[in-house]
């Protein structure tokens, strides 16, 4: 195991620290609540000479990602961070970064999208970027946000992947809370991520290369997309390899899903991000009372771990999926849809209940989690299932 | 069993509640405990009522929500007693510590909490004005907190306080802050 120090610090602060330790050549970023302190602290590292990085101040997130695309194509290791409306404004460049196979690493402070205006946590922003072709991680804690950011560099730059990676953490809940975090020493991190050796950098005048060119009708566009899919599939193996290697220096085991109590669980909650902790806390208390409950936390959202999730849920009598984002007009939120899809080939048909929770930062009180487990217990016992979708904790009249 | 202590801070923006919540968390970490400290974010206006939360535990903390049922409530501004239900959800046997000149029995009657809840008063603003020369009650309030509960250690707290202050101030300011902590520790009264 590598040297480490234990700090009382925030999620944003350790993401900035992880970025410094990964030594990007270029960062182009625009501040937005609740991501601001990431780019603020990183800019401080640049100003104080603690990292040798070209920090590009831009006038919008659209420009931020455009500058990242240019710098990455030029051959630089590139990082940025955003949130909410900022991620939404980047939307077209997100596709370009992935289509050009640029290993950009971006942190996202998960936050609601307007309207109404709201600066607090939900996953609407990230779900809007779901199909842009980025490998996407969710963090429960500041520790996971730190670890994911470092692993993201290795995954993005792996020759079998060459895709941008998003490392997300829940706005305010994880970005701004002070938590206990183990931070590795600089040498261990730089040794782990290594140096980026771009394959066809634009700045190599000895071997001129064309990036992002026209590939219209009859051109290779369709085949490019198949290659992107292959790269995303390859990422499944690479993520596990990198996770195993990282565990050796960090002492923290990594897998694409994290399970608690699932060996003999009769009911289970599937969840992304910080709420996994609330679910586990309640599950521990229910276990102490003899209830066979479990929790599955999905750590990697793209590529989605279908096989791992189906295996974890095998034998369960009822499943609740908690979504912190809407997909209006669909049967449930994005995680609900994936979970049902993962279970389609399962031998036994398992009732899956969708819950929308915590939109716009609505507090995820423990009693809400208790209510979900109670619903599951009723369903498992053959009682009547609640409606196909529950707005968990929403007031009848606001 | 894990020992989890949950503290809810009530203050007006600018009084240092978030800083105090952070220093208490750092003090807990220095004793190799697990901790969490977070403000309840909202529009940030000086003087607006705010809440902040601190959790301290012997084991990793997994909960990521606001504290509804605190073991300890700390109120940095007694004008909040009129406008915020500061006693909401407080546990039986819990502690409510208020920065006020009003004696604790009167505060207790006014709050209408049950007998098992300990209510404590300390004139942290007065102490801060005497020692630090500014109405920043957060530091002396921690001194009073240490007197009432064993959730953090006095020596570790004072050490961290000095370390944090030394980044911007000299020994004189450190001594003034230490004096404010000692006085609040000595002067806090309980009903």
């Amino acid at each position: 195991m590598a040297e480490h120090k234990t700090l009382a610090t925030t999620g944003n602060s350790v993401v900035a620290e992880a970025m410094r330790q990964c030594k990007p050549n270029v960062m182009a970023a625009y501040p937005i609540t609740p991501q601001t302190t990431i780019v603020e602290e990183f800019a401080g590292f640049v100003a104080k000479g603690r990292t040798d990085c070209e920090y590009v101040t831009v006038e919008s997130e659209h420009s931020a990602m455009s500058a990242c695309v240019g710098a990455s194509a030029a051959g630089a290791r590139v990082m940025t961070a955003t949130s909410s409306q900022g991620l939404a404004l980047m939307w077209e460049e997100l596709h370009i970064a992935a289509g050009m196979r640029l290993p950009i690493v971006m942190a996202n402070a998960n936050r609601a999208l307007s309207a109404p205006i709201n600066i607090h946590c939900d996953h609407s922003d990230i779900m809007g970027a779901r199909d842009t072709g980025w490998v996407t991680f969710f963090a429960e804690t500041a520790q996971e946000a730190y670890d994911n950011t470092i692993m993201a560099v290795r995954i993005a730059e792996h020759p079998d992947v060459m895709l941008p990676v998003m490392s997300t953490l829940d706005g305010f809940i994880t970005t701004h809370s002070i938590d206990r975090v183990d931070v590795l020493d600089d040498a261990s991190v730089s040794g782990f991520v290594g140096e980026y050796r771009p394959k066809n950098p634009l700045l190599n005048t000895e071997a001129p290369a064309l990036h992002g060119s026209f590939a219209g009708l009859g051109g290779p566009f369709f085949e490019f997309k198949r290659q992107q899919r292959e790269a995303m599939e390859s990422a499944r193996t690479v993520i596990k390899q990198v996770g195993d290697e990282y565990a050796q220096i960090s002492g923290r085991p990594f897998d694409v899903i994290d399970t608690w109590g699932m060996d003999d669980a009769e009911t289970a909650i599937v969840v992304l991000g910080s709420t996994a902790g609330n679910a586990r806390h309640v599950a521990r208390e229910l276990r102490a009372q003899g209830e066979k409950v479990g929790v599955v936390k999905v750590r990697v959202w793209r590529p989605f771990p279908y096989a791992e999730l189906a295996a974890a849920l095998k034998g369960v009598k009822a499943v609740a999926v908690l979504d912190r984002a809407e997909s209006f007009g669909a049967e449930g939120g994005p995680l609900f849809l994936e979970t049902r899809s993962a279970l389609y080939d399962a031998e036994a048909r398992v009732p899956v209940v969708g819950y929308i929770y915590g939109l716009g930062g609505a507090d995820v009180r423990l009693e809400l989690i208790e209510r979900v487990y109670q619903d599951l217990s009723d369903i498992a016992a053959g009682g009547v299932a609640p409606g196909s979708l529950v707005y968990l904790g929403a007031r009848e009249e606001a | 069993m894990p020992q989890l202590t949950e503290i809810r801070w009530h203050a007006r923006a600018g009084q240092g509640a978030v800083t105090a919540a952070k220093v208490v968390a750092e003090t807990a970490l220095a004793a190799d405990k697990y901790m969490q400290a977070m403000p309840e974010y909202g529009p940030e206006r000086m003087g607006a009522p705010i809440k902040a939360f601190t959790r301290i535990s012997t084991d990793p903390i997994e909960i990521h929500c606001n504290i509804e049922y605190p073991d300890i409530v700390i109120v940095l501004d007694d004008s909040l007693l009129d406008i915020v239900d500061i006693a909401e959800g407080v546990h039986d046997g819990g502690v409510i510590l208020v920065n006020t000149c009003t004696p604790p029995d009167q505060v207790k009657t006014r709050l209408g909490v049950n007998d098992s809840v300990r209510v404590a008063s300390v004139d942290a603003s007065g102490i801060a004005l005497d020692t630090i020369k500014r109405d920043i009650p957060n530091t002396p309030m921690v001194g009073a907190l240490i007197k009432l509960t064993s959730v953090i250690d006095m020596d570790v707290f004072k050490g961290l306080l000095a370390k944090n202050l030394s980044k911007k101030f000299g020994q004189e300011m450190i001594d003034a802050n230490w004096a404010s902590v000692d006085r609040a520790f000595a002067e806090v009264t309980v009903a």
Side-chain angles (χ1 to χ4, degrees):
Chain A
M1 264 183 53
E3 292 288 311
H4 72 273
K5 54 185 175 183
T6 306
L7 304 175
T9 188
T10 65
N12 275 358
S13 189
V14 284
V15 167
E17 178 73 353
M19 288 178 161
R20 183 189 64 76
Q21 293 181 313
C22 291
K23 298 182 178 173
N25 307 110
V26 175
M27 173 179 277
Y30 192 81
I32 178 170
T33 300
Q35 154 266 34
T36 303
T37 46
I38 297 178
V39 294
E40 191 176 279
E41 289 195 31
F42 190 86
F45 294 144
V46 176
K48 289 173 192 155
R50 291 193 62 203
T51 183
D52 182 19
C53 176
E54 184 73 28
Y55 188 96
V56 188
T57 52
V58 286
E59 75 283 10
S60 73
E61 288 85 358
H62 193 277
S63 302
M65 187 49 69
S66 297
C68 288
V69 164
S72 185
R77 176 175 284 167
V78 180
M79 290 184 163
T80 186
T82 192
S83 178
S84 183
Q85 309 298 132
L87 185 65
L89 188 55
M90 281 181 184
W91 198 74
E92 59 181 29
E93 285 76 21
L94 294 177
H95 287 266
I96 293 167
M100 286 173 67
R101 309 292 298 279
L102 301 172
I104 299 164
V105 170
M106 175 162 67
N108 190 74
N110 304 329
R111 173 189 141 178
L113 289 170
S114 299
I117 294 175
N118 184 293
I119 59 169
H120 292 279
C121 176
D122 70 32
H123 299 157
S124 308
D125 52 356
I126 209 75
M127 291 307 169
R130 184 187 67 179
D131 298 337
T132 57
W134 286 58
V135 172
T136 306
F137 281 77
F138 274 83
E140 175 189 332
T141 57
Q143 183 72 65
E144 287 186 4
Y146 173 81
D147 295 340
N148 292 350
T149 304
I150 294 167
M151 287 190 285
V153 175
R154 280 281 302 278
I155 295 159
E157 294 173 1
H158 194 285
D160 294 345
V161 180
M162 287 302 288
L163 288 172
V165 180
M166 224 175 313
S167 169
T168 81
L169 61 165
D170 283 349
F172 290 113
I173 299 164
T174 312
T175 60
H176 282 64
S177 292
I178 294 166
D179 205 346
R180 178 172 162 147
V181 190
D182 283 348
V183 172
L184 298 168
D185 66 301
D186 286 3
S188 298
V189 176
S190 65
F192 178 78
V193 296
E195 277 198 30
Y196 174 45
R197 299 189 189 286
K199 202 173 171 193
N200 298 302
L202 275 179
L203 292 184
N204 181 3
T205 52
E206 303 288 313
L210 182 63
H211 286 242
S213 64
F214 185 70
L217 201 60
F221 184 92
F222 196 36
E223 290 72 23
F224 261 85
K225 292 299 142 186
R226 184 182 62 193
Q227 287 186 353
Q228 265 180 264
R229 171 161 279 275
E230 286 166 0
M232 190 61 91
E233 290 303 314
S234 300
R236 294 184 189 281
T237 314
V238 172
I239 289 167
K240 292 202 181 213
Q241 283 168 358
V242 171
D244 288 346
E245 269 185 62
Y246 186 73
Q248 283 174 19
I249 63 164
S250 69
R252 290 181 289 279
F254 173 85
D255 205 346
V256 291
I257 61 168
D258 179 90
T259 59
W260 188 91
M262 292 307 296
D263 287 346
D264 65 344
E266 292 180 352
T267 61
I269 285 178
V270 180
V271 64
L272 292 163
S274 60
T275 302
N278 298 22
R280 234 173 18 253
H281 182 88
V282 171
R284 274 181 215 282
E285 290 178 344
L286 292 173
R287 277 270 168 182
Q289 298 163 26
E291 301 277 331
K292 288 186 175 174
V293 296
V295 179
V296 182
K297 173 176 71 179
V298 176
R299 292 190 64 175
V300 178
W301 167 245
R302 281 294 181 271
F304 191 82
Y306 294 100
E308 291 84 352
L309 182 60
L313 294 174
K314 196 176 177 195
V316 170
K317 292 177 181 165
V319 177
V321 184
L322 307 191
D323 267 289
R324 204 162 196 160
E326 254 290 13
S327 181
F328 300 110
E331 281 206 301
L335 183 60
F336 172 83
L337 300 176
E338 299 295 11
T339 303
R340 285 236 296 208
S341 184
L343 291 174
Y344 185 79
D345 292 326
E347 285 168 24
R349 180 171 290 264
V350 186
V352 183
V353 199
Y355 294 82
I356 303 286
Y357 77 98
L359 299 185
D363 196 26
V364 190
R365 291 171 283 124
L366 299 180
E367 66 193 50
L368 296 177
I369 305 287
E370 288 162 9
R371 193 190 304 172
V372 172
Y373 276 123
Q374 185 58 53
D375 287 350
L376 289 177
S377 173
D378 292 346
I379 296 165
V384 181
S388 60
L389 187 72
V390 180
Y391 254 66
L392 186 63
R395 294 177 291 258
E396 285 305 311
E397 290 170 33
Chain B
M1 275 297 282
Q3 285 186 318
L4 173 67
T5 303
E6 297 190 308
I7 306 172
R8 189 174 67 210
W9 305 74
H10 293 273
R12 291 185 181 277
Q15 289 185 310
V18 175
T19 309
K22 183 171 187 255
V23 179
V24 168
E26 285 173 345
T27 309
L29 175 66
D32 200 29
K33 289 183 176 171
Y34 290 84
M35 77 300 142
Q36 205 183 59
M38 67 277 189
E40 183 181 67
Y41 281 90
E44 294 180 25
R45 298 155 293 159
M46 287 283 279
I50 60 144
K51 282 188 253 183
F53 308 97
T54 308
R55 288 190 173 96
I56 297 169
S57 178
T58 51
D59 291 79
I61 298 165
E62 302 186 299
I63 319 170
H64 306 284
C65 53
N66 293 342
I67 293 171
E68 287 186 289
Y69 307 105
D71 303 293
I72 301 166
V73 174
I74 302 175
V75 184
L76 294 193
D77 189 315
D78 66 358
S79 69
L80 292 172
L81 298 181
D82 295 327
I83 54 172
V84 179
D85 183 6
I86 63 106
E88 188 180 13
V90 71
H91 277 301
D92 286 353
V95 174
I96 298 174
L97 169 62
V98 186
N99 169 21
T100 183
C101 298
T102 310
D105 53 333
Q106 289 179 29
V107 177
K108 190 167 188 171
T109 308
R110 187 165 153 197
L111 290 172
V113 292
N114 77 42
D115 248 6
S116 75
V117 176
R118 288 192 294 156
V119 175
S121 296
V122 65
D123 180 17
S125 287
I127 292 170
L129 284 168
D130 277 353
T131 53
I132 312 167
K133 310 296 180 196
R134 283 179 65 191
D135 183 6
I136 312 173
N138 58 355
T139 304
M141 286 298 274
V142 178
L145 170 69
I146 293 169
K147 176 73 169 285
L148 297 169
T149 75
S150 54
V151 68
I152 57 166
D153 181 82
M154 178 62 107
D155 291 338
V156 179
F157 172 65
K158 280 183 158 181
L160 270 171
L161 194 58
K163 192 177 152 198
N164 289 346
L165 286 167
S166 67
K167 290 172 194 164
K168 284 187 188 170
F169 302 101
Q171 188 61 42
E172 203 180 335
M173 184 57 92
I174 293 169
D175 289 340
N177 274 270
W178 280 358
S180 78
V181 173
D182 288 336
R183 272 193 54 188
F185 185 91
E187 293 174 20
V188 63
T189 53
V190 187

